[in-house]
């Protein structure tokens, strides 16, 4: 048996302090998972529970620690937004996982950016159409090195921040997640069978906004360090 086209190797995200890589299987994202962000997007978080969407695995752009990622301004948008997010990665598969066991399935954590063509996302939202062109485009998911939970523990709290050219744009705390990491994993596993290699972007706090070529984004989560991205 031979493949008629050689398959791409999986995207490999560095594991901090090692030469190991975490092979990405699927990318899940949580929408509207911080109260203040749901409000800034025009929703009442008390009536609108968070929900899931996906990005392709090869939308992930791994960032090695210490470096600055150059990210090209994408096509077909005039409103290219950053979203700072805590990312949890799955190391043990399962379905219908109970909340109290959910963190046993989380292998580690990383800092991620859910880059968004906000104009296209909003247009699709208004038309009741899928979000893919606004959310799931090429290189839309920069992701920093993975910190094993065995080293940093599980993240139920900790600062989340994002600056553009040194000016603070997002400043929140993981403890403000509407659905915690454990609750998110448990709920997601009702709809999809989770497997090692799955990556979950847990949602962004308030303060999302646009960037343009030449801007430098710095994004961080307490205990996981900070990443730098230059938009070109
Ligand atoms: Mn997001």
């Amino acid at each position: 048996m031979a493949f008629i086209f050689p398959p791409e190797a999986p995207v490999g995200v560095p594991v901090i302090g090692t030469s190991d890589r975490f092979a990405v299987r699927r990318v899940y994202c949580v929408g509207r998972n911080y109260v203040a962000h749901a409000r800034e997007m025009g929703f009442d978080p008390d009536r609108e529970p968070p929900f899931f969407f996906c990005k392709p695995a090869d939308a992930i752009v791994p960032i090695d620690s210490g470096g600055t990622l150059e990210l090209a301004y994408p096509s077909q948008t005039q409103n290219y937004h950053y979203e700072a997010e805590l990312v949890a990665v799955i190391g043990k598969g399962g379905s219908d996982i109970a909340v109290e066991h959910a963190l046993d399935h989380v292998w580690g954590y990383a800092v991620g950016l859910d880059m968004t063509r906000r104009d296209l996302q909003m247009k699709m939202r208004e038309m009741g159409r899928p979000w893919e062109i606004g959310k799931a485009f090429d290189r839309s998911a920069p992701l920093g090195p993975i910190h094993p939970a065995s080293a940093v523990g599980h993240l139920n709290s900790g600062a989340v921040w994002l600056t553009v050219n040194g000016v603070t744009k997002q400043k929140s705390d993981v403890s403000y997640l509407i659905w915690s990491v454990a609750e998110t994993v448990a709920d997601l596993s009702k709809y999809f069978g989770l497997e090692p290699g799955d990556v979950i972007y847990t949602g962004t706090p308030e303060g999302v906004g646009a960037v343009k070529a030449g801007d430098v984004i710095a994004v961080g989560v307490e205990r996981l360090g900070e990443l730098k991205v230059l938009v070109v």
Side-chain angles (χ1 to χ4, degrees):
M1 194 279 284
F3 291 106
I4 54 168
F5 301 110
E8 288 289 320
V11 173
V13 183
V15 176
I16 196 84
T18 75
S19 57
D20 295 340
R21 299 247 153 189
F22 178 91
V24 176
R25 175 178 178 262
R26 292 184 184 171
V27 182
Y28 295 103
C29 304
V30 185
R32 296 174 212 143
N33 205 11
Y34 288 84
V35 167
H37 174 62
R39 291 209 175 105
E40 79 178 349
M41 298 305 287
F43 291 89
D44 178 350
D46 298 330
R47 280 183 295 165
E48 182 82 12
F51 55 87
F52 303 108
F53 60 93
C54 294
K55 296 195 185 216
D58 67 358
I60 296 275
V61 190
I63 308 179
D64 287 293
S65 56
T68 297
L69 174 73
E70 290 197 0
L71 199 58
Y73 196 96
S75 63
Q76 299 294 324
T77 183
Q78 276 77 50
N79 199 15
Y80 181 43
H81 274 210
Y82 54 78
E83 294 189 357
E85 307 206 4
L86 167 68
V87 174
V89 305
I90 298 296
K92 182 178 142 192
S95 296
D96 291 316
I97 298 165
V99 175
E100 57 269 33
H101 299 135
L103 293 180
D104 299 342
H105 297 257
V106 175
W107 191 82
Y109 295 90
V111 179
L113 281 168
D114 169 12
M115 299 304 292
T116 303
R117 289 160 161 159
R118 191 72 72 199
D119 42 359
L120 297 185
Q121 182 205 13
M122 292 307 198
K123 195 170 156 192
M124 292 302 105
R125 191 177 98 183
E126 281 160 24
M127 296 170 84
R129 290 181 179 171
W131 281 5
E132 269 77 358
I133 60 171
K135 280 289 194 183
F137 53 95
D138 296 345
R139 295 172 68 81
S140 59
L143 186 61
I146 294 169
H147 296 247
S150 58
V152 293
H154 287 286
L155 275 76
N156 298 314
S157 64
V160 182
W161 66 92
L162 182 144
T163 67
V164 178
N165 304 327
V167 178
T168 297
K169 301 289 187 181
Q170 294 190 282
K171 191 173 171 45
S172 188
D173 196 284
V174 171
S175 61
Y176 295 149
L177 280 170
I178 297 172
W179 287 4
S180 69
V181 171
E183 289 167 329
T184 296
V185 168
D187 197 65
L188 185 62
S189 78
K190 295 176 189 169
Y191 299 98
F192 300 97
L194 299 183
E195 295 291 345
D198 290 345
V199 169
I200 304 170
Y201 279 64
T202 61
T204 196
E206 70 279 14
V208 300
V211 284
K212 57 187 189 314
D215 286 344
V216 175
I217 302 169
V219 55
V221 175
E222 198 176 328
R223 288 190 266 167
L224 306 179
E226 190 176 75
L227 313 175
K228 283 212 167 68
V229 172
L230 169 65
V231 181
V232 296

